[in-house]
Amino acid sequence: MTRRARHVDTCEVMGTVASVHVIGADRATAAAAARDCFAVLRRADRVFSTYDDGSDVRRIARTELDPADADPWVADVRAACLTMADETGGLFDAWRHGWFDPTGLVKGWAAERAARQILGPLVRPGGAVAAALDVGGDMQVLSADDGEHTWNVGIVDPSDRRRVIATVPIHNGAIATSGSAERGAHIIDPRTGSPATGIVSATVLADGLTRADVWATAAVAAGIDGFAGVLTARETSGMTVDRAGHVRRWITGTEAGIEVCVETAGSGC
């Protein structure tokens, strides 16, 4: 198989690092695609950032901006949040603080939108072999239907970021990971209002990054006892690692068993 050039561009945005990978296109085409992808992410950050008092969501929360007058993306994301709140049985709730906060969905939504609209047209017979948009480790990947390229995505051990505990081959689709490994117990279980602490890492594969990102967060919020609820996401597959180091996997709604534990702090494995 002929080795194709791989172009990578990176950008700091949405509080993390985003990277665009294009395989089999010329440098100018890849650079232009990356620029346009980063522009989508920057716009999403301007509109939805909860840290910027001038963002649309913060102005809406202070009743300074009517949602009808906000960026059109606000209506799109609100609709997506309602859909995912229903799909997750309330494990994802963009109104849990009493105001609209789409954190947990909007990064995946923006990345999926950029990948499909900008990178998608590049990946075609006679065009780029494959392309991917990675935002903070969550990825939407694409491969040409007539090509052999597969993205091999590593899942990091939540207790040792230098170690990979699984590698997932993806031709077209998305993968997202949520948990407490890097930011501590920051995910709130909306059913209790308390931090979710039982699951330290959840990785979800889906067709689109919007669903993968939300369900990864929902799996952490569900906790050990809520695993049955995660299995209702029948168009996803994934794995969780709990605080004791037990690994649970599911494939399109069917649990694939509890596996040998990964050593985590205090697990005793």
Side-chain angles (χ1 to χ4, degrees):
M1 184 171 58
T2 302
R3 184 175 180 83
R4 303 294 187 93
R6 178 170 182 159
H7 304 289
V8 181
D9 293 272
T10 63
C11 173
E12 292 187 10
V13 64
M14 301 189 85
T16 188
V17 177
S19 60
V20 171
H21 306 249
V22 180
I23 301 173
D26 62 80
R27 179 62 192 142
T29 298
R35 182 177 62 248
D36 291 345
C37 285
F38 297 149
V40 169
L41 299 179
R42 290 191 184 98
R43 176 179 169 184
D45 204 21
R46 289 195 302 270
V47 174
F48 298 104
S49 173
T50 59
Y51 299 98
D52 179 0
D53 283 340
S55 73
D56 285 34
V57 293
R58 293 302 297 153
R59 293 174 62 206
I60 290 170
R62 297 194 302 269
T63 68
E64 296 174 2
L65 177 66
D66 190 301
D69 298 324
D71 187 292
W73 281 6
V74 170
D76 293 342
V77 169
R78 284 172 66 94
C81 286
L82 288 170
T83 297
M84 294 309 303
D86 182 64
E87 183 175 317
T88 62
L91 288 171
F92 170 79
D93 180 4
W95 288 267
R96 62 194 177 281
H97 300 309
W99 52 278
F100 179 55
D101 174 9
T103 302
L105 178 143
V106 73
K107 183 181 71 172
W109 178 89
E112 179 180 351
R113 183 187 184 100
R116 292 192 186 280
Q117 293 187 354
I118 298 165
L119 300 181
L122 301 183
V123 181
R124 64 187 191 283
V129 173
L133 176 54
D134 180 329
V135 184
D138 298 337
M139 301 178 67
Q140 183 80 43
V141 308
L142 308 100
S143 302
D145 291 338
D146 63 342
E148 300 177 1
H149 185 83
T150 297
W151 297 89
N152 292 304
V153 183
I155 300 175
V156 176
D157 183 342
S159 67
D160 184 354
R161 307 297 293 175
R162 299 166 298 178
R163 180 171 174 251
V164 173
I165 57 175
T167 300
V168 182
I170 309 175
H171 189 66
N172 283 290
I175 184 168
T177 298
S178 292
S180 58
E182 292 188 358
R183 297 173 55 192
H186 67 287
I187 295 174
I188 303 299
D189 181 348
R191 301 167 300 181
T192 65
S194 300
T197 59
I199 301 297
V200 295
S201 176
T203 298
V204 174
L205 289 81
D207 178 62
L209 193 52
T210 305
R211 292 187 77 239
D213 197 10
V214 170
W215 269 109
T217 301
V220 175
I224 298 169
D225 296 333
F227 191 79
V230 176
L231 297 181
T232 64
R234 298 191 180 277
E235 296 179 5
T236 73
S237 298
M239 62 180 286
T240 63
V241 181
D242 67 22
R243 191 160 295 280
H246 297 113
V247 177
R248 299 181 79 171
R249 302 175 188 263
W250 74 96
I251 301 173
T252 58
T254 301
E255 185 170 6
I258 300 176
E259 302 189 6
V260 177
C261 66
V262 173
E263 185 173 356
T264 61
S267 68
C269 294

